[in-house]
Amino acid sequence: QKEVEQNSGPLSVPEGAIASLNCTYSDRGSQSFFWYRQYSGKSPELIMFIYSNGDKEDGRFTAQLNKASQYVSLLIRDSQPSDSATYLCAVNENQGGKLIFGQGTELSVKP
Amino acid sequence: SQTIHQWPATLVQPVGSPLSLECTVEGTSNPNLYWYRQAAGRGLQLLFYSVGIGQISSEVPQNLSASRPQDRQFILSSKKLLLSDSGFYLCASPVGGYTFGSGTRLTVV
């Protein structure tokens, strides 16, 4: 059974701080790694995806991938109350293939 | 760029009634398409995926079925709904980084 694990939270950070969200996966054959943000009652929005080991930055967001440790993380710099949402990690084996999701981490950014 | 349309946005159906949810995709041709379900407070569970017209793979045995009558159309159906079919149904495509439609929230009463 291929699994993706996330801490359910809630993770609470003060406004302006760095939020760190973590995800581990069981399948060493996984090739693509995705982070989504989901507001209550809405569909997931793609934040970013990463294929290669190391860091990938997009604005206030940085994804970090370590395939040897089967670990992917998302850092949110200068966290804002509007970042309060559930963050979903997902992995797939091949480009265009099905995604396997973690349960999501609830993030709360306090003003 | 790709756009995924889903309707209806919300649906309340009695137990035992039929179901038909539609997903259409614009801006791409012959995409892989996926149906996911998210139960309240839970993660996303893959239900069906399709790599082309008439090609459907089922991930989880259940009360639901899927069809792909056209290149850009993916339909989720049931002949008789169960209470356990309640949830948030999402259509997705890997084009453009794997995006989702706006979803249909189904409540079976």
Side-chain angles (χ1 to χ4, degrees), chain A:
Chain A
Q1 180 86 11
K2 298 170 185 175
E3 295 181 343
V4 178
E5 299 286 342
Q6 296 181 255
N7 290 327
S8 61
L11 172 66
S12 182
V13 301
E15 184 174 356
I18 296 175
S20 178
L21 303 159
N22 305 314
C23 174
T24 59
Y25 58 95
S26 63
D27 182 13
R28 286 193 172 275
S30 299
Q31 294 189 2
S32 309
F33 307 85
F34 299 76
W35 282 102
Y36 291 86
R37 176 174 61 193
Q38 186 176 26
Y39 294 112
S40 181
K42 302 296 185 181
S43 69
E45 302 170 87
L46 180 65
I47 299 172
M48 62 194 306
F49 53 87
I50 185 168
Y51 298 118
S52 303
N53 273 330
D55 294 359
K56 180 181 179 181
E57 186 174 320
D58 185 358
R60 295 187 296 114
F61 299 95
T62 299
Q64 299 175 318
L65 174 62
N66 184 326
K67 290 187 177 180
S69 300
Q70 296 176 244
Y71 176 91
V72 58
S73 64
L74 180 70
L75 301 178
I76 307 175
R77 290 182 299 279
D78 188 23
S79 295
Q80 301 297 309
S82 59
D83 294 325
S84 297
T86 296
Y87 288 80
L88 300 170
C89 171
V91 304
N92 73 359
E93 292 180 322
N94 50 72
Q95 195 169 0
K98 57 188 177 184
L99 290 184
I100 300 173
F101 281 84
Q103 295 295 307
T105 298
E106 182 184 350
L107 173 67
S108 176
V109 181
K110 303 295 186 184

Side-chain angles (χ1 to χ4, degrees), chain B residues 26-73:
Chain B
E26 289 182 0
T28 187
S29 60
N30 199 31
N32 289 356
L33 293 173
Y34 301 82
W35 277 112
Y36 287 87
R37 177 173 62 197
Q38 187 176 36
R42 305 287 297 275
L44 276 75
Q45 178 187 37
L46 178 63
L47 302 176
F48 299 95
Y49 67 95
S50 172
V51 298
I53 295 174
Q55 300 179 66
I56 308 294
S57 295
S58 173
E59 285 292 302
V60 181
Q62 60 213 324
N63 186 41
L64 303 170
S65 62
S67 62
R68 188 154 176 192
Q70 299 180 37
D71 178 25
R72 301 177 189 181
Q73 185 183 34

Side-chain angles (χ1 to χ4, degrees), chain A residues 34 36 44 46 99, chain B residues 2-4 91-101:
Chain A
F34 299 76
Y36 291 86
L46 180 65
L99 290 184
Chain B
Q2 171 188 260
T3 303
I4 301 175
C91 180
S93 169
V95 176
Y98 220 115
T99 55
F100 287 84

